[in-house]
Each structure stands twice: as C-alpha cells, then as structure tokens.
C-alpha cells in the first residue's frame, strides 16, 4: 500500500491566493476571480555563442541553468546559416527552460528574496521592460547571483534573460501583480494607469513631458523655479532705473546756463565801469 503524496504549495502561490488576488480584485474592480492576473510561466534563456567551437561550453551552461531552475533545460539551435558569424543551421547557440505552476512560483520567490539582493550596485528594476501585454523581461549579467551556483566551480561568468509571462491584459495590471510579489522596481517610469492604490507612489511616464518637468522642479532642483522668480526683479530693476538715469542726461545741456548768467552779470558789472570811463573822458574834454 502506497502512502498518498502530499504536495506542498509554494509559499508565494499561497500568498497570491490568500492576499494578492483579493487585493487585485478590489483594486481593479474585477467581477470574477478568473479576471485577476496571475503568473503563467517563467522562461530562462542563456545564450552560448562559443558552443559552436567548444562543446564543453554547452554542457557547462546546461548544468548551470539546470541548477538555477531545478529543471533540465533544452538546447536551442540556429534556424538558419549566417556566414558572417560562421554559423550553420542546426548549431547549438543557447539553452532555455520554461517553468510553470509550483516551480514558477518557487523560482520567482528565490529570485526576489535571494538573487536580486545580491546584485552589485542595484538601483531597482526598470519598469519600462514591459511588452505592452502584461509580460516583463529582465536581464541578469552574472549567473553567480544565484546561491546554487558555486563560484569556484564555474568556467566563466554568463548572463541570462528572465521573462515573466502573466495573464494580465495591461502593463499596469502586470506591474501591480509583480509589485505585490515583491519585485523591487525603480520609483520612476512606471506604467500609465498605476497609482497609489497599492501603497506605492507612482511617477510620471516617459510620455508625460509636462508632468516630468513639474516633478523634477518639486523633487530635484527647486532652483529652476526659484531662480526664475528671483531673477525677475533683478532684470526689472535696471528697467526702472533707466528713466532715472536718462533725466540727468536731459538736464546736462542746461548746466552751462549758470555760467551764462555769470557771464551776463560780469558784462553788466563791466558796463558801469565803461560808463564811468566815458563820463571821465567827457569831463576832461570840457575842462
């Protein structure tokens, strides 16, 4: 008699069923539980361009991706020949694996809680990597961020692409779902339609130029707005002083007027002296 196997659910899936899905239904106003977005699959793809020269490279990539995903990957082969790349049809060019169900939730849990925090100089995932239909793709430069990989046992550092496929119809719904799963997205460039309903302040999108400019003035340098207001009176002050400076220039020609008055006064003062001299001459002539 065989004992019945008790399948244990991934903790992220349990959290989705108990917490995340009811919150999404309330946020977007779905009329049915089936309308709520959910995780459909996760695809891991690792390119191995040197596999056409060395078969050991392909074997090492297969082993590493199998260790990361917990599932044996399949080999991807070239679909056509390209002479410039010395590539022939049928040559192995990479390995890929698709995770569904419990394995997909389990991998996403490890990715969010363990692997991503080990990325060097991490500043948040870009929210602009959605494809417009609710699917998100991110690139990992080093496979050593996964703790399952032994750093001393690898032949070289390789990167891989991770594509998360959801049932969401819009990027805003998929973004809300992944945010609820714990994906550490950056604070800027979030999809249009996402707001503060799930407790995260949204930022303007790349298309909203006016909103981006207003947000930069508030968050970044207030100097752009304040400098304009401060500079206005400084520019206006010379304009007000110009007429004041013009007044003395208009009066400058009148400055010689006092000298002319003095000259006339001097002439008047000289005139009596001439008259006295004339009287003196007249008297002398009579004498």
């Amino acid at each position: 008699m065989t004992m019945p196997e008790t399948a244990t659910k991934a903790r992220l899936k349990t959290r989705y069923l108990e917490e995340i899905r009811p919150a999404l239904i309330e946020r977007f106003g779905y009329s049915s539980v089936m309308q709520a977005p959910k995780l459909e699959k996760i695809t891991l793809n690792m390119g191995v361009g040197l596999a056409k020269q060395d078969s050991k490279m392909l074997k090492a990539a297969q082993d590493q991706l199998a260790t990361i995903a917990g599932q044996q990957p399949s080999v991807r082969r070239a679909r056509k020949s390209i002479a410039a790349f010395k590539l022939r049809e049928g040559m192995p060019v990479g390995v890929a694996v698709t995770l569904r169900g419990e394995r997909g939730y389990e991998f996403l849990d490890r990715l969010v809680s363990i692997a991503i925090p080990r990325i060097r100089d991490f500043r948040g995932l870009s929210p602009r990597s959605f494809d417009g239909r609710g699917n998100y793709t991110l690139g990992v430069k080093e496979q050593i961020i996964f703790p399952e990989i032994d750093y001393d046992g690898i032949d070289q550092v390789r990167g891989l692409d991770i594509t998360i496929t959801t049932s969401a119809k819009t990027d805003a719904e998929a973004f809300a779902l992944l945010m609820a799963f714990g994906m550490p997205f950056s604070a800027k460039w979030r999809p249009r339609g996402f707001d503060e309903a799930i407790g995260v302040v949204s930022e303007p999108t790349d298309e909203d130029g006016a909103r981006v400019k207003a947000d930069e003035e508030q968050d970044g340098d207030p100097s752009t707005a304040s400098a304009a207001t401060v500079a206005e009176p400084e520019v206006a002050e010379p304009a007000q002083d110009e007429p004041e400076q013009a007044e003395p220039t208009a009066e400058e020609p009148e400055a010689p007027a006092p000298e002319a008055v003095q000259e006339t006064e001097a002439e008047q003062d000289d005139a009596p002296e001439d008259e006295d001299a004339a009287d003196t001459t007249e008297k002398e002539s009579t004498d």
Side-chain angles (χ1 to χ4, degrees):
M1 182 178 178
T2 59
M3 296 295 293
E5 296 181 359
T6 58
T8 58
K9 290 184 178 179
R11 64 173 186 173
L12 194 61
K13 185 175 182 179
T14 303
R15 182 184 169 196
Y16 168 77
L17 296 175
E18 295 178 357
E19 301 177 9
I20 298 175
R21 187 170 66 178
L24 293 175
I25 293 173
E26 182 180 358
R27 182 189 185 283
F28 292 101
Y30 298 127
S31 59
S32 174
V33 178
M34 301 302 294
Q35 291 180 323
K38 62 181 179 180
L39 179 66
E40 289 188 346
K41 64 180 180 179
I42 297 178
T43 305
L44 309 180
N45 181 23
M46 181 181 291
V48 189
L50 299 177
K52 61 179 180 289
Q53 300 175 0
D54 188 0
S55 60
K56 294 181 181 179
M57 294 284 186
L58 182 64
K59 186 65 170 65
Q62 280 183 302
D63 296 340
Q64 293 172 13
L65 191 58
T67 303
I68 293 172
Q71 181 175 315
Q72 190 65 24
S74 60
V75 179
R76 302 300 186 187
R77 299 185 180 275
R79 297 181 180 180
K80 61 180 180 179
S81 301
I82 303 176
F85 299 142
K86 298 180 181 180
L87 185 66
R88 294 180 182 178
E89 184 179 358
M91 279 187 174
V93 293
V95 291
V97 62
T98 301
L99 305 176
R100 301 176 187 270
E102 301 290 337
R103 289 184 178 179
Y105 283 100
E106 189 270 337
F107 173 79
L108 184 60
D109 191 4
R110 288 188 291 112
L111 177 68
V112 172
S113 59
I114 300 176
I116 291 179
R118 299 180 63 180
I119 298 176
R120 292 180 298 178
D121 300 332
F122 181 70
R123 297 182 181 179
L125 299 176
S126 174
R128 292 185 287 183
S129 297
F130 288 91
D131 63 349
R133 294 182 294 272
N135 304 320
Y136 183 76
T137 301
L138 64 98
V140 177
K141 295 182 179 180
E142 300 175 346
Q143 81 276 33
I144 58 177
I145 65 172
F146 294 94
E148 297 85 3
I149 301 296
D150 184 12
Y151 182 78
D152 297 329
I154 63 174
D155 54 345
Q156 68 176 12
V157 176
R158 295 187 181 89
L160 67 150
D161 297 326
I162 303 173
T163 302
I164 303 174
T165 304
T166 68
S167 61
K169 297 181 180 179
T170 63
D171 289 346
E173 296 177 5
F175 183 80
L177 174 64
L178 296 182
M179 279 289 297
F181 280 145
M183 295 286 286
F185 287 105
S186 177
K188 290 188 176 182
W189 318 115
R190 290 177 174 173
R192 183 188 299 274
F194 182 80
D195 52 22
E196 299 82 359
I198 62 173
V200 180
V201 180
S202 61
E203 296 287 340
T205 60
D206 198 6
E207 300 174 358
D208 300 333
R211 291 178 56 195
V212 170
K213 185 177 180 180
D215 204 311
E216 289 177 353
E217 292 178 356
Q218 293 177 1
D219 297 340
D221 278 318
S223 59
T224 54
S226 60
T229 55
V230 173
E232 285 177 0
E234 294 179 357
V235 176
E237 286 177 0
Q240 295 176 359
D241 296 336
E242 286 177 359
E244 296 178 359
Q245 295 176 358
E247 289 177 359
T249 55
E251 294 176 356
E252 285 177 359
E254 299 178 359
E259 296 178 359
V261 173
Q262 293 176 0
E263 291 178 358
T264 53
E265 290 177 355
E267 292 176 357
Q268 292 176 1
D269 294 339
D270 295 340
E273 293 177 358
D274 297 339
E275 291 177 356
D276 295 341
D279 294 341
T280 306
T281 52
E282 289 178 356
K283 290 179 181 180
E284 289 177 356
S285 60
T286 52
D287 297 337

